[in-house]
Amino acid sequence: MILSANDLKTKGISFVEKLIKKYNEVFITVRGKKKFVILPVEEYEKLKEAELDKIIKEAEEDYKKGRYIKETAEEHFQRLGI
């Protein structure tokens, strides 16, 4: 479901809650372009968990294939230019 920022402003969060119950996500547009999305917290948490799972799998794969660097904290900061 798409909702304009102006509609959000005039109709309020109770209207958004009704839309979320019906569509499970609401896109907010600003000047006709999608700018934000509103999700139930449960859906957001699922997305974050999936993202973390993907990152862990990528890190495990990198480790298996030797794509990592052994260095001290000082060397790491120097490499990063900090």
Side-chain angles (χ1 to χ4, degrees), residues 34-45:
K34 288 181 185 176
K35 187 86 173 182
F36 306 100
V37 63
I38 301 173
L39 301 169
V41 170
E42 298 81 15
E43 289 299 314
Y44 173 79
E45 288 172 350

Side-chain angles (χ1 to χ4, degrees), residues 54-67:
K54 180 180 177 228
I55 290 168
I56 290 169
K57 287 178 184 175
E58 288 173 356
E60 289 172 343
E61 190 66 25
D62 285 343
Y63 181 76
K64 286 178 189 174
K65 293 186 176 182
R67 295 186 299 230

Side-chain angles (χ1 to χ4, degrees), residues 9-10 23 30 56 70 78 81:
K9 181 179 174 181
T10 59
Y23 299 103
V30 177
I56 290 169
K70 287 185 179 182
Q78 285 177 349

Side-chain angles (χ1 to χ4, degrees), residues 1-5 8 13 16-17 19-20 23-30 33-45 47-48:
M1 176 63 189
I2 297 175
L3 182 68
S4 72
L8 174 60
I13 198 68
V16 171
E17 287 175 333
L19 293 175
I20 289 288
Y23 299 103
N24 207 39
E25 62 186 27
V26 176
F27 290 94
I28 305 300
T29 62
V30 177
K33 294 184 179 184
K34 288 181 185 176
K35 187 86 173 182
F36 306 100
V37 63
I38 301 173
L39 301 169
V41 170
E42 298 81 15
E43 289 299 314
Y44 173 79
E45 288 172 350
L47 290 172
K48 292 302 287 181

